[in-house]
Amino acid sequence: MNPFREDLVSRSRPEPCSIVIFGATGDLTHRKLVPALYNLAVDGELPTGVRIIGFARRDKSDEEFRSGLEELNKKVSRSGHDDEVWSHLAENIFYHKSEFNDADGYKSLAERLDQIDEERGGKGNRLFYIASAPEFFDDILIQLKNAGLNEAKDGCWARVIVEKPFGTDLATAKHLNEVVNSTFHESATYRIDHYLGKETAQNLMVLRFANAIFEPLWNSRYISHMQITCAENLGMEGGRGGYYEKSGALRDMVQNHLLQLLSLVAMEPPTDLSADGVRDEKVKVIRSLRQWDTPEKVAENVVRAQYTAGHVDGKEVLGYRQEDRVSPESDTEAYVAVRLLIDTWRWSGVPFYIRMGKQLPKKSTEISVHFKDAPNVLFGALTGGVPGGNVLVIRIQPDEGISLRMVSKIPGTSLRLEPVKMDFHYSTSFGKGSPEAYERLLLDAIAGDATLFARRDEVEEAWRFIDHIEHAWHQSDNPPPMAEYVAGSWGPKEADDLIKKDGHDWRRL
Ligand SMILES: NC(=O)C1=CN([C@@H]2O[C@H](COP(=O)(O)OP(=O)(O)OC[C@H]3O[C@@H](n4cnc5c(N)ncnc54)[C@H](OP(=O)(O)O)[C@@H]3O)[C@@H](O)[C@H]2O)C=CC1
Ligand SMILES: O=C1O[C@H](COP(=O)(O)O)[C@@H](O)[C@H](O)[C@H]1O
């Protein structure tokens, strides 16, 4: 639910509904979606009368489906496993067996949904969650339409959540958008980006627009540059290599999650907090990105790399090209660093740097805002100054929080300066952990609030930017080279050079 003033946001209360999950025997449903619904139930936030209908092709009874979900919920739920809450939820879980392209399966789904509503007093609201591999997205949407399940009936609503990846380039994203919008109205379409559901990502707008002290400084006059880092200490575990080979770091993380974070940190204040009010401003940021539209510009502003064998968390790990389901000649990047410029009045001349990599020393995602140095006229003369004295760090995960680095006098009789840190940790300030991103996002979709979901134009603008880079890498005559870094290190030397060219360094995490 939108945390802001109720009278300023257009959304309704979460209502009873049937949530149909396509791909319900899969990993996402078991590890994320059902545990998220369970946690909402534990916190008393799930409206009574929410039903979950799993749709997949293998044979399973309702009971078998429930017990498989329960087994995993016990392992992964952030609030443990309460038998009473679970059994109440489980009474409302059903399984529907069908192939994604079988028209009869959707006809019988429609009948089953009506029957569940009739027996259990449901209203007929429907939330369709497409949690399948992307090659099935079209089929599922078209079959929903053919079965009339896309239409809101008798004062009820029908909405669709579409999982990532939302296309693999601009053309495929546009095609998918055509299919989605010919099936569901844009206002009933929820393109999920789980980074937008993370607590600190949501807090970005609050930090910027509910505190009078930051916004006056939030521009090229006071900010030297910003960095967005997403470090992961995993490689291609669990057979992910096959998927990753077709994706790579740029498409897997930058096109969606990291450009979404960039748009939140760089957008103008929205005129209101409605879904479109916020998304209108976010899309302007992505639309204003200077395009790296030649191989030369890509070589100058983007670094791609693969890891070689090394050690992460004290364990020996393989190089990217030796990973399961990865080609020994792979030209897929497991690391990317991009220098971005946003051609707006506010950000003229301020570089933004995004880096993302697998098999780095630790898992950490953060945004750092580096302020310009104070004039060097007073303390500089005595001490040499403290360059990079003011940095605001927004920790997205783990240890969610915000810190501000400032320069202080070291106690003593002489004038010596050193940076110190003011630190806010969610866990200690609020005394409780944050909900999982999927909890918040599922509840928002049930409540009809699309603020934290990507709109069609945002997705397409992001692909427009990414496509030029992918084109230079894979389709040009002089592709920029692939760099290397040792697994467990902080990335390739070329990425350090990229930021050093502007006189900056990556923040040490
Ligand atoms: N797993 C994760 O953590 C994340 C996943 N995602 C995205 O979510 C989506 C699903 O991922 P994930 O759960 O990992 O995938 P899985 O491969 O684990 O699950 C695929 C599901 O699709 C069903 N399925 C496949 N083919 C058919 C068919 N022809 N007809 C009916 N059902 C079929 C399978 O059913 P059956 O078992 O009956 O074959 C299974 O339920 C992907 O788009 C992925 O990118 C996004 C973020 C995180
Ligand atoms: O979407 C994806 O996200 C995960 C990282 O998510 P996080 O919430 O753990 O930060 C990433 O590992 C994966 O490759 C990507 O597909």
Side-chain angles (χ1 to χ4, degrees), residues 164 194-195 198 232 240 252-253 257 358 363 397:
K164 67 169 288 201
H194 76 281
Y195 265 59
K198 291 187 189 278
E232 291 190 15
R240 284 217 92 206
D252 185 43
M253 290 296 293
H257 310 317
K358 299 277 185 191
K363 182 165 174 72
Q397 63 185 21

Side-chain angles (χ1 to χ4, degrees), residues 134-304:
E135 60 265 33
F136 299 113
F137 290 2
D138 284 16
D139 262 355
I140 296 169
L141 288 159
I142 291 163
Q143 294 291 355
L144 281 171
K145 183 176 178 178
N146 292 345
L149 281 162
N150 59 328
E151 284 163 13
K153 289 188 193 122
D154 308 328
C156 297
W157 46 259
R159 299 179 185 138
V160 67
I161 300 181
V162 186
E163 255 302 337
K164 67 169 288 201
F166 203 91
T168 51
D169 57 15
L170 180 58
T172 50
K174 276 189 167 166
H175 167 81
L176 181 54
N177 274 326
E178 290 302 324
V179 179
V180 173
N181 286 163
S182 68
T183 315
F184 288 86
H185 191 270
E186 179 63 25
S187 62
T189 303
Y190 295 73
R191 295 173 191 80
I192 204 156
D193 185 311
H194 76 281
Y195 265 59
L196 290 178
K198 291 187 189 278
E199 195 64 49
T200 326
Q202 294 169 50
N203 200 24
L204 270 170
M205 270 203 289
V206 179
L207 173 81
R208 291 189 52 199
F209 306 131
N211 293 294
I213 59 169
F214 293 118
E215 200 47 30
L217 308 181
W218 215 260
N219 55 53
S220 60
R221 189 150 174 221
Y222 296 101
I223 291 178
S224 116
H225 71 284
M226 289 202 203
Q227 300 180 16
I228 301 178
T229 296
C230 175
E232 291 190 15
N233 53 355
L234 289 176
M236 298 297 123
E237 291 80 355
R240 284 217 92 206
Y243 156 76
Y244 211 74
E245 276 285 89
K246 289 193 239 129
S247 164
L250 187 71
R251 287 196 275 214
D252 185 43
M253 290 296 293
V254 180
Q255 184 274 336
N256 39 41
H257 310 317
L258 303 185
L259 287 184
Q260 285 291 328
L261 291 184
L262 175 81
S263 66
L264 285 172
V265 86
M267 72 184 197
E268 297 298 318
T271 47
D272 60 49
L273 290 165
S274 62
D276 280 336
V278 173
R279 296 185 300 180
D280 284 347
E281 295 308 328
K282 281 168 58 210
V283 74
K284 284 184 205 163
V285 173
I286 307 176
R287 195 176 291 140
S288 308
L289 287 174
R290 192 167 307 168
Q291 301 293 319
W292 304 141
D293 53 7
T294 62
E296 292 72 30
K297 289 184 201 166
V298 171
E300 231 173 87
N301 294 289
V302 188
V303 169
R304 57 173 173 158

